Amino acid sequence: VLFTALGYWPVYAIDSGLAVLALMYITVRIPSGTPMVLRMPADNASASAADDAGRRSLARDACSAVDNGNSTTVADVNYGGDGGHKVLRFGSGVYATLVTCFKPRPHHQRAFLLLLLLAMLGVVTAFGSISFLYLYVKKLFDWSYNSFIYYTVASTLLDVVGTTVMLSVLSHHMGVPDLWLGLVAALFKIAADTITATATMPIMLYVAAAGSMFSLVTPVVIRSQLSKSVSPAELGKVFSLLSSGESILPVVMGPAFTAVFKDTLDTVPGAVFYIAALAYGFTAVIFGVLLGFRASRRGVEEENSPLLQEDESQ
């Protein structure tokens, strides 16, 4: 819209101005502090007494390196006098992350955590269909690029409204639990993708856009629940595994979606959106299971269990 009305230079000038404002905000609002030293959770069931002693030595050496103003990173510090054997390598970090995410936890917390990670993978899979939306509407309704841009702007505005309503009104002010918000958002997205896949007239795409206005809430809910399901010392490892999955899955699903779209373009052009609806259906089922976990523990007092703690702001 701005490009059509103003041209190249104003659009790039606005983009550059927003980037400068973001940089200024980061500089003013986000403090810079001392580099954090690697923290090992004390309750790691796989850690032996010797490993604990080694980690404490590692932490002391890393702190000493930071205090002396050296540029030595934690990964460059050795522990033990065994000939300079380095233990913090890539494989060691991956192993520590997997141990944290898959170790046994009380009150079904491990299952809760892993199901949340799977739910996010379902969401990321569904996002793969967005890349084919323009080709889909051009094939189906012969839309021009400007028509598609108008639709995209309307869809984006609806997403902003839907996210604001769910997070600000339903979650913050009315106290609706996160998992219920995630389930409702997933169900709306399933309906929206199904309508998109079966669209026979352009107005149905706008109806689908209205139905998917809550879709951005689903990943927010998943991340929120992940942060409440583990201790603060474990958050980094859990989110690193989540980010790895979010980065790797599109590499696999991108070619898969492309192959499906090409093979079904003349027969079922909306096939990729059916797949997206199925992916969100998988996520919705997981939300239902997680709600069942919560309901099974409803009458039990577990003040120290992160599984049962809800955000006090709700």
Side-chain angles (χ1 to χ4, degrees), residues 18 31 35 47 74 91-92 95 132 141 144 192 200 203 214 219 248 259 284 291 297 302 307:
L18 292 175
V74 175
S92 177
Y95 176 76
F132 301 93
F141 305 118
S144 65
T200 57
I203 190 64
F214 304 118
I248 294 172
L291 284 168
R297 301 291 303 177
E302 292 288 345
L307 177 63

Side-chain angles (χ1 to χ4, degrees), residues 268-303:
V268 187
V272 292
F273 300 103
Y274 285 123
I275 296 175
L278 288 175
Y280 259 96
F282 173 72
T283 299
V285 170
I286 290 178
F287 276 126
V289 174
L290 296 180
L291 284 168
F293 279 167
R294 286 287 170 83
S296 66
R297 301 291 303 177
R298 186 64 61 187
V300 180
E301 293 292 334
E302 292 288 345
E303 296 180 357

